[in-house]
């Protein structure tokens, strides 16, 4: 098993079979790179290598060490929302017996929502082996039944889609092994939290 080190990953190192980033010999992105750079990738590529299903790891050849999209983009967009309401009232004075009084009430309510888009590790792992996408059934065969590949190699990138990152077109780009928007949406999900707090303070002197 060789390790292919590229961009720093979200998880430093993952060797679990259900979440790790293992690239099989039959991966179309790898096969195409081997046709371009046989001295670098020819040893690992084998388009005829076959598996019996998504749990068959007999064709695994490389481990991808990097982020799923990174600078290739497009950038993931999360959001933060905060809303606060405050009501305050005070009353002060002196009674007929020359007693001073100071009364105050403060009520606040705060609501916040945080959503960050991240990659689902299990989906990423399946897509590397060719079992990705929302239409790939559990008993599906690789390359069939709507199953998609996630391609970590540079031939999947025509040019970076991140803002201000487009400089030139990648000469190794191959649209047949590019990552689709459908697959990207299936691999990512927004996670976050909703928080609400209420405070009531009364003071009397």
């Amino acid at each position: 098993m060789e390790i292919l080190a590229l961009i720093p990953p979200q998880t430093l190192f993952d060797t679990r079979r259900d979440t790790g980033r293992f690239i099989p010999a039959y991966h179309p992105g790898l096969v195409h790179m081997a046709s371009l750079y046989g001295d670098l990738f020819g040893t690992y590529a084998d388009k005829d290598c076959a598996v019996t299903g998504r749990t068959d790891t007999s064709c695994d050849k490389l481990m991808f060490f990097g982020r799923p999209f990174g600078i290739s983009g497009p950038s993931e967009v999360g959001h933060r929302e905060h809303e606060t309401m405050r009501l305050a009232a005070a009353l002060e004075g002196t009674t007929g017996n020359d007693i001073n009084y100071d009364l105050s009430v403060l009520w606040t309510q705060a609501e916040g929502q945080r959503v960050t888009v991240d990659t689902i590790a299990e989906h990423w792992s399946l897509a590397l082996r060719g079992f990705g996408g929302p239409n790939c059934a559990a008993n599906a065969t690789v390359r069939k039944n709507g199953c998609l590949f996630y391609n970590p190699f540079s031939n999947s990138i025509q040019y970076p889609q991140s803002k201000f990152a487009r400089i030139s077109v990648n000469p190794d780009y191959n649209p047949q092994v590019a990552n689709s928007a459908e697959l990207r949406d299936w691999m990512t999900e927004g996670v976050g939290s909703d928080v609400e707090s209420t405070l009531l303070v009364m003071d009397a002197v």
Side-chain angles (χ1 to χ4, degrees), residues 2-6 23 41 62-66 152-153:
E2 297 287 335
I3 296 179
L4 179 65
L6 297 177
I23 304 171
F41 298 98
L62 297 172
M63 175 180 283
F64 174 66
F65 188 76
F153 297 96

Side-chain angles (χ1 to χ4, degrees), residues 15 25 44 74 81 104 193:
T15 57
Y44 312 109
E81 293 182 4
S104 63
S193 60

Side-chain angles (χ1 to χ4, degrees), residues 27-172:
H27 194 292
L30 175 59
V31 172
H32 178 252
M33 291 299 286
S35 69
L36 298 177
Y37 308 102
D39 55 334
L40 295 176
F41 298 98
T43 304
Y44 312 109
D46 181 4
K47 65 179 181 179
D48 297 321
C49 191
V51 292
T52 57
R54 60 180 63 198
T55 59
D56 184 351
T57 60
S58 60
C59 290
D60 288 358
K61 284 295 183 179
L62 297 172
M63 175 180 283
F64 174 66
F65 188 76
R67 293 183 293 171
F69 302 107
I71 192 64
S72 67
S75 301
E76 301 292 357
V77 178
H79 69 270
R80 306 286 188 273
E81 293 182 4
H82 299 278
E83 184 176 309
T84 302
M85 180 183 296
R86 294 185 179 91
L87 295 176
L91 180 65
E92 62 180 19
T94 305
T95 68
N97 297 323
D98 293 328
I99 298 175
N100 297 323
Y101 60 87
D102 188 345
L103 307 175
S104 63
V105 177
L106 172 66
W107 176 83
T108 67
Q109 178 175 294
E111 297 179 356
Q113 184 182 68
R114 174 184 60 86
V115 175
T116 300
V117 179
D118 204 352
T119 303
I120 305 172
E122 291 83 354
H123 286 189
W124 187 3
S125 180
L126 286 172
L128 276 170
R129 291 194 171 98
F131 295 97
N135 300 318
C136 186
N139 59 348
T141 304
V142 68
R143 301 187 184 90
K144 297 179 180 179
N145 308 109
C147 296
L148 305 173
F149 279 93
Y150 163 74
N151 184 8
F153 297 96
S154 62
N155 54 2
S156 68
I157 306 170
Q158 184 177 18
Y159 48 78
Q161 297 181 47
S162 294
K163 193 173 183 179
F164 306 123
R166 181 173 178 176
I167 299 176
S168 60
V169 175
N170 175 17
D172 294 338

Side-chain angles (χ1 to χ4, degrees), residues 149 151 155-158 173-180 183:
F149 279 93
N151 184 8
N155 54 2
S156 68
I157 306 170
Q158 184 177 18
Y173 172 67
N174 180 355
Q176 294 183 349
V177 296
N179 296 312
S180 67
L183 179 65

